[in-house]
Amino acid sequence: MTMIQCISPIDGSVYAEREAMSLEAAKDAVQRARKAQKAWARRPLEERVQLVLKGVARLNEMSDEVVPELAHMMGRPVRYGGEYKGFNERSNYVASIAADALAPLVIEDSATFERRIEREPHGVVLVIAPWNYPYMTAINTVAPALMAGNTVVIKHATQTLLVGERMVRAFVEAGVPEDVFINLFLDHATTTALIATGSFNFINFTGSVEGGRSIERAAAGTFAGLGLELGGKDPGYVMEDADLDAAVDTLMDGATYNSGQCCCGIERIYVHESLYDAFVEKSVAWVSNYKLGNPLDPETTLGPMAHRRFAAHVREQIAAAVAKGAKALVDPKLFPQDDGHAYLMPQILVNVDHSMSFMKDETFGPAVGIMKVKNDAEAIELMNDSPYGLTASLWTQDPARAAHIGREIETGTVFMNRADYLDPALCWTGCKETGRGGSLSVIGFQNLTRPKSYHLKKVTK
């Protein structure tokens, strides 16, 4: 018997554990989801949409349990209230566009022919969800997949072991049939075996680049559709006409919120030389105001990282950069709670360059590097000097300039005067090693369905 354990970053204790399912038991569960799919898809679209929204509402009713549970599992302070704002916003938006997004594309409806393209659900969708935003990332696929008529199997990260179980419980209590949305506790070997045997019609994975490669290898030859959101090293660029205070506030929050554990967090910043000194000074002051501590304390503004090995990676990157000449500016004396394990103080590095792993490879922690640049051309070259491409944050008063620079950046989303936000009306997508596919928006519905063409010739006398 294999047990899957969630180790709490608060104190290193086992917070939750579940028995990993055997391959045969998992296959049986997936088969039940497959049998349930046709009947679910035959239900009227509006009925499916409303059942999903009822599931969302039921989860909202569980906030008193969900919020401290998240703090225990992955360390986010309870003062932030969980992920309900984004969770609800995304669910409500996809519900509002479902009818239009899934409507047939009518080519001809005449006395002689009906020609149209309809959207048909794939079948069984597997969602492999990450621990850093465990509810929001999952709902990106769960809500539109169910609305579109798929059944959904969720397999959640070990660090947030209870999230899939809780989501399914909420949705089933709200009226979604039990076999339509199911949670499985799986180890890597069983997950790989299920994928390799063609158990799923579409797989959405959010996680590491290596994890994405493993999914691709397992799915090879099954022809299952894939949506992969993988690593990130998102840049910010502060131009000479930027609102300095707004840039500092947003970019520092984007770099450190959730202990920097965000796919689209800001990990490197390029500042025009005319604003560089002021930006650095204000940023250090901003970050120094954090209160690092136990996430169950409502006064805590920065909790531990989700696991001590994640914090160790950040420390190693910082140390390697400093050894190469980088300078750390945030005073460790301000953060005596940094214990060398999961509790990690925020940090800002200057005198950095792209020979350092800290400026090229994903950090995924509350640390950011700041570099001085002379012009847009230099900033564009540096922003593109990365294997990843999820978002980029541009700070200027000139939308035309931002749009021009945006067209030159290898990224999935271009922000101007904001960062670290997922707009559900826009496609959430990435390029290069950040992955493939896209979620939410009309395009998200298209990725979770397949086109079926109807060419109907009418009998004429």
Side-chain angles (χ1 to χ4, degrees):
M1 181 175 67
T2 301
M3 299 301 294
I4 302 173
Q5 293 184 330
C6 168
I7 306 299
S8 175
I10 293 177
D11 57 9
S13 65
V14 176
Y15 177 69
E17 60 182 358
R18 294 290 186 272
E19 182 180 351
M21 296 181 72
S22 69
L23 179 58
E24 288 308 311
K27 283 182 176 179
D28 288 344
V30 175
Q31 188 58 32
R32 291 195 300 272
R34 186 165 298 284
K35 288 180 179 178
Q37 189 270 321
K38 293 293 185 183
W40 174 249
R42 282 193 292 269
R43 292 196 183 201
L45 171 60
E46 184 57 24
E47 182 179 326
R48 297 196 302 266
V49 168
Q50 290 306 315
L51 281 170
V52 170
L53 290 179
K54 287 179 180 178
V56 169
R58 180 70 188 101
L59 189 70
N60 275 256
E61 293 170 354
M62 300 175 176
S63 63
D64 288 347
E65 300 166 274
V66 166
V67 173
E69 199 169 74
L70 281 175
H72 279 288
M73 289 190 293
M74 51 77 65
R76 186 183 303 123
V78 294
R79 68 179 289 127
Y80 298 122
E83 301 172 20
Y84 284 108
K85 182 179 179 181
F87 185 83
N88 295 338
E89 180 183 35
R90 298 171 193 189
S91 304
N92 291 335
Y93 182 78
V94 294
S96 73
I97 66 167
D100 289 338
L102 297 170
L105 177 61
V106 178
I107 308 302
E108 180 181 356
D109 186 7
S110 68
T112 53
F113 284 100
E114 287 183 28
R115 294 185 298 141
R116 64 183 180 273
I117 302 169
E118 294 187 1
R119 306 299 310 185
E120 188 163 283
H122 287 304
V124 181
V125 172
L126 172 64
V127 176
I128 305 177
W131 52 263
N132 61 325
Y133 284 92
Y135 285 101
M136 289 199 294
T137 51
I139 204 64
N140 292 350
T141 303
V142 170
L146 289 173
M147 291 175 187
N150 299 284
T151 51
V152 174
V153 176
I154 186 168
K155 184 267 180 195
H156 225 292
T158 299
Q159 196 62 48
T160 40
L161 187 63
L162 304 182
V163 171
E165 183 179 72
R166 185 170 287 283
M167 283 185 69
V168 167
R169 176 184 144 200
F171 277 54
V172 170
E173 288 180 2
V176 174
E178 287 189 6
D179 291 333
V180 167
F181 184 26
I182 63 174
N183 172 70
L184 301 184
F185 295 109
L186 305 173
D187 59 24
H188 291 311
T190 304
T191 304
T192 299
L194 284 173
I195 293 171
T197 54
S199 299
F200 308 105
N201 303 101
F202 188 89
I203 301 159
N204 183 271
F205 171 78
T206 304
S208 69
V209 174
E210 284 309 308
R213 291 193 175 110
S214 296
I215 298 295
E216 284 197 322
R217 285 192 293 268
T222 68
F223 307 114
L226 295 179
L228 304 173
E229 185 197 327
L230 311 175
K233 191 72 180 176
D234 288 5
Y237 173 32
V238 181
M239 297 169 228
E240 70 278 2
D241 65 337
D243 181 327
L244 182 60
D245 289 334
V248 168
D249 184 61
T250 301
L251 292 174
M252 288 303 104
D253 182 67
T256 56
Y257 181 77
N258 204 40
S259 296
Q261 299 167 128
C262 180
C263 302
C264 60
I266 298 297
E267 296 209 358
R268 52 199 174 106
I269 302 173
Y270 308 100
V271 183
H272 188 270
E273 57 188 4
S274 64
L275 293 182
Y276 176 81
D277 290 340
F279 182 88
V280 169
E281 181 181 357
K282 287 176 177 286
S283 294
V284 172
W286 196 100
V287 167
S288 297
N289 283 325
Y290 267 119
K291 181 179 178 181
L292 176 65
N294 189 316
L296 297 172
D297 181 349
E299 298 300 314
T300 293
T301 56
L302 190 70
M305 294 194 68
H307 197 284
R308 62 175 58 189
R309 73 175 183 274
F310 305 150
H313 167 73
V314 180
R315 290 188 178 96
E316 288 166 5
Q317 266 200 350
I318 291 173
V322 170
K324 281 191 168 186
K327 183 178 181 181
L329 298 182
V330 180
D331 187 352
K333 293 178 182 177
L334 298 174
F335 296 94
Q337 308 89 343
D338 187 321
D339 63 356
H341 299 297
Y343 288 85
L344 174 68
M345 65 172 282
Q347 191 54 270
I348 292 172
L349 298 188
V350 294
N351 299 342
V352 289
D353 60 51
H354 279 220
S355 71
M356 301 170 181
S357 171
F358 184 77
M359 294 298 287
K360 294 291 290 291
D361 301 320
E362 189 168 38
T363 301
F364 223 63
V368 64
I370 306 175
M371 287 180 66
K372 184 188 301 183
V373 294
K374 294 180 179 179
N375 51 44
D376 292 351
E378 183 181 6
I380 291 167
E381 181 179 0
L382 289 168
M383 284 190 282
N384 284 339
D385 185 26
S386 170
Y388 307 109
L390 185 57
T391 79
S393 178
L394 308 179
W395 288 81
T396 176
Q397 304 297 322
D398 187 346
R401 182 181 180 187
H404 171 75
I405 294 171
R407 283 186 284 272
E408 300 297 319
I409 306 172
E410 297 159 353
T411 191
T413 294
V414 177
F415 290 115
M416 186 182 86
N417 298 334
R418 77 175 311 173
D420 192 18
Y421 173 71
L422 193 160
D423 183 342
L426 302 177
C427 184
W428 191 243
T429 185
C431 61
K432 300 193 285 189
E433 290 190 6
T434 290
R436 57 189 281 193
S439 61
L440 298 174
S441 76
V442 171
I443 293 172
F445 274 109
Q446 292 173 353
N447 287 334
L448 290 165
T449 56
R450 67 178 182 87
K452 177 182 278 189
S453 294
Y454 288 80
H455 192 140
L456 309 179
K457 182 179 181 181
K458 298 178 181 178
V459 176
T460 58
K461 295 181 180 179

